Amino acid sequence: MVTVVANGAAALAVLENTVFDLILMDVQMPGIDGLTATTLIRQRETTSGRHTPILAMTAHAMKGDRERCLDAGMDGYLVKPVQAAELFSAIGAQFRNVNGAS
């Protein structure tokens, strides 16, 4: 199932009642941005024990942007425009990490 939301607040609301295998998080969303939304998701996960992989999707490719995303709790970082092969590779890497495969 794919769910699309318009902003970070909507993402947080959907996550209240839905479990996802993976989140593609736009870093620059109106209202609650992707970094803040990710931080809040990670805080919630401390009580649930669940960890949903979050991949940052951003047009930001400046020095330090990747680190900022990872520091917020994101598991990966993709620069827009995203190529299909890069997206599939990043998604595959997350599921290999979850399953403990290399």
Side-chain angles (χ1 to χ4, degrees), residues 15-33:
L15 286 165
E16 286 287 330
N17 301 308
T18 308
V19 174
F20 294 95
D21 294 322
L22 177 83
I23 298 170
L24 298 176
M25 182 74 73
D26 191 340
V27 173
Q28 286 190 298
M29 292 185 290
I32 299 174
D33 66 19

Side-chain angles (χ1 to χ4, degrees), residues 25-89:
M25 182 74 73
D26 191 340
V27 173
Q28 286 190 298
M29 292 185 290
I32 299 174
D33 66 19
L35 296 173
T36 303
T38 297
T39 300
L40 294 169
I41 291 166
R42 294 300 184 226
Q43 288 172 356
R44 289 180 183 178
E45 289 177 342
T46 61
T47 58
S48 73
R50 179 168 174 75
H51 179 88
T52 303
I54 300 175
L55 296 179
M57 297 186 71
T58 181
H60 291 257
M62 304 297 288
K63 184 177 175 82
D65 288 333
R66 180 180 188 280
E67 290 74 19
R68 205 167 13 265
C69 290
L70 298 177
D71 288 346
M74 295 180 178
D75 300 285
Y77 174 84
L78 296 165
V79 178
K80 296 182 207 175
V82 177
Q83 301 298 313
E86 292 172 297
L87 176 61
F88 297 148
S89 176

